[in-house]
Every structure is written in structure tokens, then in C-alpha cells.
Amino acid sequence: SPREPGLNRVGMVAWRVTLWTPEYPQGRDMVLIANDLSVQNGTFGPREDDVFRQASALARAERIPRVYVGANSGARFGLSDSVKQKFRVEWNDWQDPNKGIKYLYLTPKDRESLGETVVTEEVRVRVNKAQRAFQIGVPDGGSEDEGADLLDEVHHKLIAIIGAEEGLGVECLQGSGMIAAETAIANRE
């Protein structure tokens, strides 16, 4: 359906087009399917799979060619936006992030707000004010002396993210088989 440029919410588009060629001067209809790279980098999710399936089914039902112009980033795997905005990092060495991370965690308040969309494990930690200031991005937040101004905190270590948004997990792989099957069927017919 018509919409303003840039407002597509599905990363797959399909058109029924008529081509006029020397072989078909009267014109030949076909279905053209393509990825829209402006939507989540052209990744596939359930909505994209549905567009592909419906367009392919139309081409088969009307016995017209189907052309798929594939330019995509594969199946969509992502992190829930609600979690992405809230997680924090517990570093192996807070003064040298190059040494890697121990785990990702949520504060008690953020853990509560996310409810059943995450699975966590409670971890009790002791940090100093300088470390806390570093972790939340406050410059020069306190003394670097490990014993200075210690704080006891509870971290909710992320174990699993269920998420509330559709189309971020393994359901995005289901369409790969469907697309392969649609292509095989179209080639046979």
C-alpha cells in the first residue's frame, strides 16, 4: 500500500510488475520480491517471511514468474530494546575494561520493571564509589582506594532474555526453511 518513503516497517517488499521485452511485446506479468535494507539492515524476521510467502504463493497461483532480488543480512537476532536500555556491565577489572566482562546485570529497580522478560541470578557485590562512578559514567566520581567508601549492592546477573518484542529470536530462523521450500516449489513448477 502507498506510504511515505522511509516508513516501511517490514524489511521485505513485493510488486506485481509488467515487463515489455522483445520476447513479450504485449507485456508479461511477474512478481518481484526484494529486501528493504532500510529496515533493520535487511534482516529476516517473521513479518518478512510472511511477505515472501504471500508473494510467492500469488506468483504460483497465477502461474507467473517470481524473481527474488536477495540483498539481506540473514536472520534477525537482536536484543530486546527494553533490556538494551537498562543492562549494565560488571567488568573483570573496572579500571581496565580491556580485560573483559564478568557478566551483564540489571539493578533491582530495572529487574523489577522488566518482570518475566528476563531470567536473572542475584549476585551481592561490594564496590567503592570510584568504581560505581566509572560504571555509570560519572567522571572523577571518588577515590580509587579500594577500601574507600564501600557500597554493598545487589546485581541481577542476566541469565536469559525472553523479551517482549516479536521477531528477535529463533523464530527468525523458521522462515529460512520456508523460503528455501517456496523457491524449490517455484523451480519445479
Side-chain angles (χ1 to χ4, degrees), residues 149-172:
D149 300 317
L150 291 177
L151 304 170
D152 289 322
E153 293 187 346
V154 174
H155 293 177
H156 290 275
K157 178 180 172 182
L158 285 166
I159 303 299
I161 301 169
I162 290 93
E165 293 100 21
E166 176 77 24
L168 292 178
V170 295
E171 68 271 16
C172 295

Side-chain angles (χ1 to χ4, degrees), residues 74-94:
R76 179 175 306 133
F77 286 98
L79 179 59
S80 167
D81 283 337
S82 58
V83 176
K84 199 183 312 183
Q85 296 168 2
K86 296 179 179 175
F87 80 83
R88 297 184 182 192
V89 176
E90 182 66 22
W91 301 97
N92 285 321
D93 179 346
W94 71 272

Side-chain angles (χ1 to χ4, degrees), residues 6-56:
L7 295 181
N8 221 10
R9 296 167 108 175
V10 179
M12 183 76 68
V13 290
W15 302 269
R16 182 188 180 124
V17 297
T18 303
L19 300 177
W20 287 270
T21 66
E23 294 85 8
Y24 292 93
Q26 73 282 8
R28 180 168 187 185
D29 287 349
M30 63 174 278
V31 171
L32 177 63
I33 307 169
N35 297 95
D36 182 348
L37 295 174
S38 72
V39 178
Q40 296 191 17
N41 297 317
T43 56
F44 279 89
R47 292 183 298 171
E48 289 76 18
D49 298 337
D50 192 45
V51 169
F52 189 95
R53 183 188 52 74
Q54 287 182 40
S56 292

